[in-house]
Amino acid sequence: MNNTLLDEIREVLQKMGFKVYKTNNDNSIIISNKQLYEYLSQFGKAWKKYVPNEIKQLSSKLLKVLFNYYIKGDGNNRLTPYGGYRTTWWTTSPRLRDDLQEICIKMGKSANFQLVKKKNETIKKIRGRVIKQEHPIWVSNLIIKSNTPSVYLHRNRRDNPNTKNREEWIDSHRGMVYCVEVPNHIVYVRRNGKAVWSGNSGTTGDVAKKLGRKCVMTDIKPVRKDIIRGDACFCYPPHNVQLVILHPPYWDIIKYSKDRNDLCNAETLEDYLRMFRKVIDNVTPFLDDGRFLALVIGDKYSKGEWIPLGFLTMNEVIKAGYILKSIIVKNMIGNERGKGIANNLWRYRALKDGFCVFKHEYVIVFQKKNVG
Ligand SMILES: C[S@@+](CC[C@H](N)C(=O)[O-])C[C@H]1O[C@@H](n2cnc3c(N)ncnc32)[C@H](O)[C@@H]1O
């Protein structure tokens, strides 16, 4: 341990009221305190270490202090070639690795980890003797950017020639599939050490429930128990309803499923609009006359062309015999990644020309004509 750090630790310990002794070799310190010994011994050897719950419950401010000191001991802050800092740490304890990942979230950041040395991996040979790694070592990195939950559209864009269309499925799984549900429908998912925020769906239904309204939710690929599996082109509610809320895929921007009846799998724009119209015609007989239909929809921008899905779908609803009541333009704050690098260009154009140009989607409200 370097001397500056040792001095800093010594000073902190002295402030806490401990008597600190220097060792002869000058690169360690000794504290004779039975209470401290007993408290620390519960955390075991290096590969069993952890952060107790009462510490993980501390405020974000105090957790930052803890984390910074942890990094001084078992990690480092390195300058990157891009002029930023990379914070990295190592541990042989899977529990400590996970605890630190949790602390990072509580600090408003996040972290991923990677196995860098496997158990029993040969590290070196000393005079013919093979030295093996006794415990696996994980390296973790602090992530300071991109910690806002958002959909990474570019991963799924079929029309983006520069990216692979990545889809993940659990085809080989034969057992039960569980669906977690948390009050705000945002869960933190970790896979192979990489953690991401992930959204549950069903938010429209939650609002209805909060308002004390009865509601039926359907989706072709539901991810919650309270959403009924059904193709909106054919399934219908058990009795008439007084409000229909439609939030269809914005054509193929996001791949929700492989189901060919999923609107996101429509081959062409014409197919998409035809399927959408089928949904409208299917639901209309079950909406009371004079009552409302709300459509939540966004446009698509692809290969240099703006595709006004909002206006096109609006037109389909009008053609189906509805009266247009309102076009609500919704600001999409917090979804900057949806616009990617174009985000600043938009802001620049808006400021330069005095326009109100912003990332948006629509909530379009219609009334079913009173035929009675
Ligand atoms: C924009 S998302 C709506 C998310 C919704 N607001 C929520 O909170 O769950 C579009 C949804 O439409 C569903 N979908 C696509 N085609 C469908 C169809 N033919 N019938 C029913 N649902 C469909 C997709 O599975 C996807 O969940």
Side-chain angles (χ1 to χ4, degrees):
M1 191 173 279
N2 74 50
N3 278 339
T4 329
L5 183 56
L6 211 60
D7 288 343
E8 198 179 330
I9 292 174
R10 192 185 309 134
E11 208 183 305
V12 172
L13 288 165
Q14 277 165 347
K15 272 191 193 155
M16 289 165 79
F18 294 112
K19 275 199 176 138
V20 184
Y21 305 98
K22 257 185 169 178
T23 57
N24 287 341
N25 61 12
D26 224 26
N27 67 1
S28 58
I29 48 177
I30 295 173
I31 307 149
S32 297
N33 187 294
K34 190 162 180 256
Q35 266 177 318
L36 184 63
Y37 167 80
E38 276 170 4
Y39 176 73
L40 291 177
S41 56
Q42 68 173 310
F43 303 117
K45 302 267 191 219
W47 60 93
K48 291 254 166 87
K49 287 219 166 83
Y50 64 97
V51 182
N53 271 339
E54 65 272 19
I55 301 284
K56 286 192 287 179
Q57 305 299 332
L58 292 175
S59 68
S60 164
K61 191 176 157 199
L62 290 177
L63 288 174
K64 276 180 196 160
V65 176
L66 173 82
F67 180 80
N68 287 340
Y69 272 93
Y70 176 81
I71 294 303
K72 285 183 181 192
D74 279 348
N76 67 32
N77 288 309
R78 264 180 306 133
L79 205 60
T80 67
Y82 312 104
Y85 273 98
R86 172 175 279 234
T87 306
T88 306
W89 60 98
W90 294 262
T91 177
T92 52
S93 161
R95 205 169 154 191
L96 183 61
R97 175 201 72 194
D98 292 355
D99 287 339
L100 287 162
Q101 203 171 29
E102 183 180 331
I103 287 171
C104 289
I105 298 168
K106 290 178 173 168
M107 288 170 10
K109 310 264 191 297
S110 66
N112 58 25
F113 63 78
Q114 223 183 332
L115 183 68
V116 282
K117 283 258 179 309
K118 289 187 192 144
K119 190 180 162 132
N120 290 331
E121 193 176 320
T122 304
I123 339 174
K124 55 182 168 187
K125 282 187 183 169
I126 301 176
R127 277 182 250 116
R129 217 177 95 221
V130 177
I131 311 290
K132 292 197 166 178
Q133 182 62 37
E134 207 179 331
H135 299 281
I137 301 182
W138 283 276
V139 63
S140 300
N141 285 300
L142 183 70
I143 299 168
I144 46 174
K145 282 196 209 153
S146 314
N147 284 311
T148 311
S150 69
V151 177
Y152 190 9
L153 295 175
H154 303 282
R155 282 272 157 86
N156 282 322
R157 283 176 61 157
R158 285 190 297 183
D159 52 4
N160 188 342
N162 300 321
T163 57
K164 275 193 191 160
N165 179 22
R166 270 182 41 169
E167 294 169 31
E168 286 170 9
W169 305 97
I170 321 176
D171 275 348
S172 56
H173 183 72
R174 292 278 166 266
M176 291 283 288
V177 175
Y178 294 89
C179 178
V180 286
E181 193 182 332
V182 291
N184 66 358
H185 297 288
I186 296 175
V187 286
Y188 205 58
V189 186
R190 191 179 72 188
R191 200 170 172 209
N192 294 334
K194 307 273 183 292
V196 291
W197 290 104
S198 174
N200 273 181
S201 62
T203 43
T204 318
D206 290 332
V207 175
K209 280 183 208 161
K210 264 205 179 112
L211 293 172
R213 304 297 177 94
K214 287 185 191 151
C215 90
V216 188
M217 293 183 274
T218 53
D219 197 295
I220 206 157
K221 191 175 173 239
V223 290
R224 280 168 47 162
K225 290 193 291 282
D226 54 350
I227 302 177
I228 299 165
R229 182 184 295 275
D231 182 344
C233 295
F234 303 104
C235 68
Y236 44 82
H239 45 69
N240 263 27
V241 296
Q242 290 70 46
L243 172 66
V244 171
I245 301 175
L246 297 175
H247 189 189
Y250 306 169
W251 188 8
D252 55 357
I253 291 184
I254 297 176
K255 282 282 249 172
Y256 293 99
S257 72
K258 282 180 169 173
D259 195 313
R260 62 190 186 91
N261 294 328
D262 189 319
L263 269 73
C264 74
N265 292 323
E267 289 280 321
T268 61
L269 178 60
E270 290 67 36
D271 284 347
Y272 170 78
L273 293 173
R274 194 182 36 75
M275 286 164 91
F276 175 75
R277 176 61 191 269
K278 218 166 166 182
V279 173
I280 301 294
D281 289 343
N282 181 50
V283 78
T284 300
F286 299 94
L287 178 64
D288 279 352
D289 289 347
R291 294 300 189 136
F292 297 90
L293 183 146
L295 168 65
V296 185
I297 186 90
D299 294 329
K300 181 185 157 162
Y301 189 73
S302 163
K303 294 179 189 152
E305 185 187 356
W306 189 277
I307 304 174
L309 297 178
F311 296 151
L312 292 169
T313 48
M314 176 182 80
N315 215 18
E316 290 301 318
V317 186
I318 294 171
K319 281 198 284 183
Y322 284 77
I323 302 166
L324 176 64
K325 297 296 285 185
S326 178
I327 301 177
I328 301 161
V329 183
K330 191 168 149 262
N331 195 357
M332 285 175 74
I333 297 172
N335 192 16
E336 282 75 12
R337 292 189 79 179
K339 287 270 176 274
I341 51 167
N343 194 34
N344 284 333
L345 178 68
W346 277 56
R347 193 172 304 132
Y348 166 75
R349 281 183 184 164
L351 292 172
K352 182 174 159 283
D353 300 320
F355 297 146
C356 183
V357 184
F358 60 96
K359 305 165 296 300
H360 61 276
E361 56 186 7
Y362 310 97
V363 181
I364 310 179
V365 185
F366 307 87
Q367 187 175 24
K368 186 176 167 186
K369 280 183 188 158
N370 225 331
V371 286

